[in-house]
Amino acid sequence: MNKFFHSGAFLLFIISLIAIIGACFYTKKEHEKFRKDFPAVSTGNFLGDILGGIVVILLSIFPWYINKIIMLFLGVLFFYFTY
């Protein structure tokens, strides 16, 4: 089997593409909708709930262009890790 598929790099590649495409389509209107609805995060895991809550709070505090830059940076970083 190819090392690319076996090592999980393929999954990381898909996640990076989703992050990059999501950052391209993340608008100020979507950010305001996110702030207004403020989703409740529950993963069923204590540590996951804490980390998810921190991420949701940070995303609601930062302006939309900072969130867009962070999502784009993470997508490019994950893409870099696949190779």
Side-chain angles (χ1 to χ4, degrees):
M1 184 176 236
N2 191 353
K3 251 181 139 177
F4 181 75
F5 293 107
H6 185 67
S7 67
F10 183 70
L11 181 63
L12 192 60
F13 178 75
I14 297 295
I15 291 171
S16 69
L17 284 180
I18 290 171
I20 291 170
I21 292 170
C24 290
F25 291 109
Y26 189 70
T27 62
K28 188 174 184 177
K29 183 178 175 183
E30 290 291 325
H31 184 69
E32 293 301 323
K33 182 178 151 187
F34 178 80
R35 276 187 174 181
K36 186 173 70 169
D37 293 341
F38 201 74
V41 177
S42 179
T43 61
N45 182 353
F46 182 69
L47 184 59
D49 288 345
I50 291 173
L51 291 175
I54 291 170
V55 168
V56 167
I57 289 170
L58 289 178
L59 287 177
S60 67
I61 291 173
F62 290 143
W64 71 275
Y65 53 89
I66 298 293
N67 290 338
K68 188 171 189 166
I69 291 170
I70 290 171
M71 288 188 330
L72 188 61
F73 175 73
L74 286 176
V76 170
L77 185 69
F78 290 164
F79 184 75
Y80 175 75
F81 285 153
T82 60
Y83 295 106

